[in-house]
Amino acid sequence: MASIFVYMGLGLLTGLLAGMLGIGGGSVIVPALVFVFAHQHLPPGLAMKLAIGTSLASILFTSLAAIRAQQKRRAIDWEVALPLGVATLVGSLVSGYIAGFLPGLVLKEVFGVFLGLVGLQLLTRWAPPANWGLPGRPVLFGVGLGIGALSAILGIGGGSLTVPFLTACNVEMRRAIAISATLGLPIALFGATGFALSGLHRAGLPPATLGYIYLPALAGLTTVAMVVVPVGVHLAHNLPVARLRRFFGVLLIAVGTQMLLGQ
């Protein structure tokens, strides 16, 4: 019962982050679930794969709520979102399936490095120079392929990759966040499918799993997250988020360091 409340609390935080910062929440969900699963005495490697698979599955529902909220504001540029979305679904399905067969501890180390880099970016507010324009569809497809592949391996919605790319292409920040929220849907859907398929016959999984997706955690996360995503979108359009970004950056650096140094 205590774990259910933890999952619901994560859903609250995830929904706000998805709407306000354009990130799917995987940066929070994955390390938090690894911590919870460790206290359930699951092996570290298995806990990491369950955390990533469950994170991707939860982002699927969060993204649906975020897309709906952003579309109400007519903030989504579908001419950019559609070609990127097609590419991300291909990359996320392939890498999500392959990642299910990689050692879980390797995934944990990669994720720790990723958290540190994202934390530094949020803390310093670094962004690539906005000297480019949006490339043509072939280049957009290649970029989307890479974003989808890396996001599925890490269990994230891709916002920490998509938003810097789009802002470097002179896309206004709120428009970039709206496109990023849209791309979370194919990344999560096909990435989670890959993790579910690769874990179907894995020995040692706890009850109530679908491959590497832990259904009780998924239910607790999504129940709350989908409700609060519109609140996050409202805050993104009406409040400055610089202070929250700095705080979140420090938190991610600390968590990433712990994942790299922990067993």
Side-chain angles (χ1 to χ4, degrees):
M1 182 61 68
S3 295
I4 291 296
F5 286 113
V6 171
Y7 301 144
M8 294 179 70
L10 282 175
L12 175 65
L13 183 57
T14 299
L16 290 174
L17 290 173
M20 186 159 38
L21 301 181
I23 60 178
S27 300
V28 175
I29 295 173
V30 172
L33 287 182
V34 168
F35 178 80
V36 174
F37 293 155
H39 280 72
Q40 295 176 354
H41 307 293
L42 292 177
L46 179 57
M48 187 67 194
K49 292 184 180 182
L50 277 173
I52 294 176
T54 304
S55 172
L56 287 168
S58 69
I59 291 169
L60 169 63
F61 295 95
T62 304
S63 295
L64 285 170
I67 290 171
R68 181 182 179 185
Q70 294 284 6
Q71 183 61 20
K72 282 184 176 180
R73 295 177 176 269
R74 300 186 181 276
I76 302 173
D77 185 342
W78 289 105
E79 290 188 6
V80 179
L82 286 178
L84 280 174
V86 171
T88 56
L89 70 85
V90 176
S92 59
L93 177 60
V94 173
S95 69
Y97 182 76
I98 293 174
F101 295 100
L102 295 176
L105 293 179
V106 172
L107 294 176
K108 185 177 180 182
E109 292 174 354
V110 172
F111 193 84
V113 172
F114 167 76
L115 283 186
L117 293 175
V118 173
L120 284 172
Q121 190 273 329
L122 290 173
L123 189 61
T124 62
R125 300 192 68 181
W126 176 87
N131 296 329
W132 312 327
L134 278 170
R137 290 204 170 194
V139 176
L140 280 179
F141 187 88
V143 171
L145 197 66
I147 289 173
L150 186 56
S151 298
I153 288 176
L154 295 170
I156 62 174
S160 54
L161 305 173
T162 306
V163 173
F165 166 71
L166 291 174
T167 53
C169 296
N170 277 296
V171 177
E172 190 266 333
M173 177 60 71
R174 288 189 175 91
R175 183 178 163 217
I177 289 174
I179 294 171
S180 170
T182 305
L183 297 186
L185 178 62
I187 289 172
L189 175 60
F190 289 88
T193 299
F195 269 88
L197 292 174
S198 62
L200 282 179
H201 303 293
R202 171 67 155 86
L205 287 171
T209 57
L210 177 61
Y212 288 118
I213 300 173
Y214 186 49
L215 299 179
L218 175 63
L221 284 165
T222 56
T223 299
V224 178
M226 291 187 68
V227 176
V228 300
V229 163
V231 178
V233 172
H234 174 79
L235 293 175
H237 285 267
N238 292 278
L239 293 176
V241 295
R243 184 174 298 178
L244 176 60
R245 286 179 180 273
R246 289 194 293 269
F247 170 78
F248 193 53
V250 172
L251 177 63
L252 290 186
I253 292 172
V255 174
T257 302
Q258 191 280 329
M259 294 189 76
L260 285 172
L261 300 179
Q263 299 298 319

